[in-house]
């Protein structure tokens, strides 16, 4: 049951010779979700063995070019490859104009349906719930409409304790009832308590994606207790004023958000091209939040299963 983030593009607006614009893959139990789609995204996916055709959904934070310009090439390749499965795209509502332009100018043969989910909420809103996960869109503070995303694994079903099955000679119907969380009254008057005889096999895992945004007071609460947090760290302490002016964060502010939210691990990215060696940003974030890692092309961050017993 894999739950992992692969960072592909970790540069901000201007790419460098060794850093591409924003693009990341979240793998939840084999389901591939693309988060942002900067220039060169499909090449990075191919380079690192990530299937374009199996990519199920795309989540775009906002409509600045370094987060969306790779989508034309990706969608064209999917069409040329004969994709037939629907492609779901979640983005601020203005993306509809981009999608219409793409279809008119570049999509010669529409082999698959594109299902666009426009985001308009001004407060956190659940935008997807299914048997595997839930996704919440988080309004951020940037120069244009902008959203972060919180991905949570759905809570697993109850397991009946093995020792109880044998010691109480549980029938199939009793086991099924207990797994549904229902107490069972037996013919002799005794009651089998689901709260005593069952357990959750593991704790649901979570990941939050925050890029691009200025720091603001409500943000840590939006991602409270998240296992893995990706947070933009465009600038260092030397450019704190510029960060505020551009509605971006410093690496130190990313660390502060991770600390205040109680995150398990922080991954920083979206580095300004002025930092030839972004390890200086890593050092500043770690001064506040030691459990910080630096995103890099092809680097995978896995959230392990947290068994309850």
């Amino acid at each position: 049951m894999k739950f992992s983030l692969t960072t592909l593009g970790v540069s901000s607006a201007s790419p460098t010779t060794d850093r591409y614009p924003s693009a990341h893959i979240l793998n939840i139990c084999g389901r591939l979700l693309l988060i942002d789609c900067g220039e060169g995204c499909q090449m990075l996916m191919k380079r690192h063995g990530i299937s374009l055709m199996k990519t199920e959904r795309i989540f775009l934070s906002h409509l600045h070019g370094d987060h969306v310009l790779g989508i034309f090439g990706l969608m064209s390749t999917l069409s040329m490859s004969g994709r037939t499965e629907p492609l779901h795209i979640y983005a601020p509502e203005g993306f509809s104009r981009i999608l219409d332009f793409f279809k008119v100018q570049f999509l010669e043969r529409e082999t698959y349906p594109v299902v666009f989910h426009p985001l308009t909420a001004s407060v956190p809103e659940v935008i997807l719930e299914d048997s595997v996960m839930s996704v919440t869109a988080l309004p951020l503070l940037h120069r244009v409409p902008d959203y972060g995303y919180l991905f949570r694994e759905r809570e697993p079903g109850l397991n009946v304790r093995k020792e109880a099955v044998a010691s109480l000679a549980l029938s199939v119907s009793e086991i099924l009832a207990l797994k549904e969380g229902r107490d069972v009254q037996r013919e002799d008057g005794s009651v089998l308590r689901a709260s005593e005889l069952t357990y959750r096999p593991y704790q649901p895992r979570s990941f939050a994606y925050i890029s691009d945004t200025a720091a603001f007071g409500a943000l840590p609460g939006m991602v409270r207790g998240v296992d893995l947090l990706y947070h933009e760290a465009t600038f260092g302490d030397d450019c704190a004023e510029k960060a505020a002016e551009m509605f971006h964060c410093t690496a130190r502010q990313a660390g502060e958000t991770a600390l205040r939210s109680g995150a398990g691990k922080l991954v920083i990215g979206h580095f300004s091209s002025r930092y030839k060696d972004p390890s200086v940003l890593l050092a500043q974030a770690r001064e506040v939040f030691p459990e910080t890692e630096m995103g890099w092309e092809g680097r995978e961050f896995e959230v392990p299963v947290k068994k309850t017993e």
Side-chain angles (χ1 to χ4, degrees), residues 268 271 275-284 294 296:
I268 57 172
F271 309 124
Y275 299 99
K276 306 305 179 187
D277 180 5
S279 62
V280 63
L281 303 176
L282 177 63
Q284 291 173 9
M294 186 165 64
W296 207 258

Side-chain angles (χ1 to χ4, degrees), residues 65-132:
D66 55 322
H67 293 257
V68 301
L69 286 179
I71 202 161
F72 288 175
L74 173 60
M75 292 178 66
S76 295
T77 298
L78 293 177
S79 180
M80 289 187 290
S81 300
R83 180 187 178 111
T84 57
E85 292 296 314
L87 178 65
H88 293 262
I89 301 178
Y90 303 77
E93 59 181 339
F95 182 73
S96 61
R97 299 189 301 273
I98 297 174
L99 186 58
D100 290 342
F101 174 77
F102 167 75
K103 288 182 176 180
V104 171
Q105 298 295 327
F106 300 110
L107 193 60
E108 297 179 1
R109 189 167 59 95
E110 192 168 347
T111 67
Y112 60 95
V114 177
V115 184
F116 175 47
H117 304 264
L119 305 180
T120 60
S122 58
V123 295
E125 178 182 47
V126 176
I127 56 174
L128 171 65
E129 282 188 297
D130 60 25
S131 61
V132 174

Side-chain angles (χ1 to χ4, degrees), residues 17-285:
T17 55
D18 59 353
R19 298 200 299 268
Y20 287 77
S22 294
H24 312 277
I25 288 288
L26 183 64
N27 183 331
I28 300 183
C29 301
R31 294 175 62 177
L32 301 184
L33 312 173
L34 175 61
I35 308 173
D36 278 337
C37 190
E39 187 178 355
C41 174
Q42 66 170 321
M43 299 303 296
L44 292 170
M45 292 174 67
K46 289 183 176 183
R47 183 182 299 167
H48 295 284
I50 298 168
S51 172
L52 275 64
M53 296 291 278
K54 291 183 180 179
T55 302
E56 178 183 308
R57 299 171 190 266
I58 299 176
F59 298 85
L60 301 177
S61 59
H62 62 296
L63 304 184
H64 281 162
D66 55 322
H67 293 257
V68 301
L69 286 179
I71 202 161
F72 288 175
L74 173 60
M75 292 178 66
S76 295
T77 298
L78 293 177
S79 180
M80 289 187 290
S81 300
R83 180 187 178 111
T84 57
E85 292 296 314
L87 178 65
H88 293 262
I89 301 178
Y90 303 77
E93 59 181 339
F95 182 73
S96 61
R97 299 189 301 273
I98 297 174
L99 186 58
D100 290 342
F101 174 77
F102 167 75
K103 288 182 176 180
V104 171
Q105 298 295 327
F106 300 110
L107 193 60
E108 297 179 1
R109 189 167 59 95
E110 192 168 347
T111 67
Y112 60 95
V114 177
V115 184
F116 175 47
H117 304 264
L119 305 180
T120 60
S122 58
V123 295
E125 178 182 47
V126 176
I127 56 174
L128 171 65
E129 282 188 297
D130 60 25
S131 61
V132 174
M133 62 183 166
S134 68
V135 184
T136 303
L138 309 174
L140 301 179
L141 182 59
H142 199 43
R143 292 168 290 158
V144 297
D146 186 13
Y147 291 87
Y149 295 98
L150 173 61
F151 302 82
R152 290 193 183 279
E153 222 174 9
R154 294 300 297 269
E155 190 171 63
L158 292 169
N159 280 358
V160 176
R161 301 184 187 281
K162 291 182 179 179
E163 62 273 17
V165 175
S167 63
L168 297 172
L170 298 177
S171 68
V172 172
S173 61
E174 288 173 334
I175 291 173
L176 291 176
L178 291 169
K179 292 183 72 171
E180 292 174 358
R182 295 188 285 115
D183 294 341
V184 176
Q185 184 165 359
R186 292 182 140 178
E187 291 183 359
D188 62 5
S190 63
V191 177
L192 303 174
R193 303 289 182 187
S195 60
E196 299 172 357
L197 302 178
T198 64
Y199 65 98
R200 301 283 178 188
Y202 61 89
Q203 296 178 21
R205 294 164 289 183
S206 56
F207 165 70
Y209 178 79
I210 304 298
S211 182
D212 303 13
T213 188
F216 60 100
L219 181 55
M222 290 182 180
V223 295
R224 179 76 61 201
V226 71
D227 293 309
L228 181 64
L229 171 64
Y230 176 94
H231 198 296
E232 72 134 296
T234 308
F235 297 105
D237 293 343
D238 58 315
C239 292
E241 290 185 5
K242 186 170 183 63
E245 175 189 343
M246 302 299 291
F247 287 83
H248 279 293
C249 282
T250 65
R252 188 174 301 278
Q253 287 173 319
E256 289 168 352
T257 295
L259 180 65
R260 291 176 57 199
S261 68
K265 183 183 289 291
L266 169 65
V267 177
I268 57 172
H270 200 266
F271 309 124
S272 168
S273 59
R274 73 182 59 221
Y275 299 99
K276 306 305 179 187
D277 180 5
S279 62
V280 63
L281 303 176
L282 177 63
Q284 291 173 9

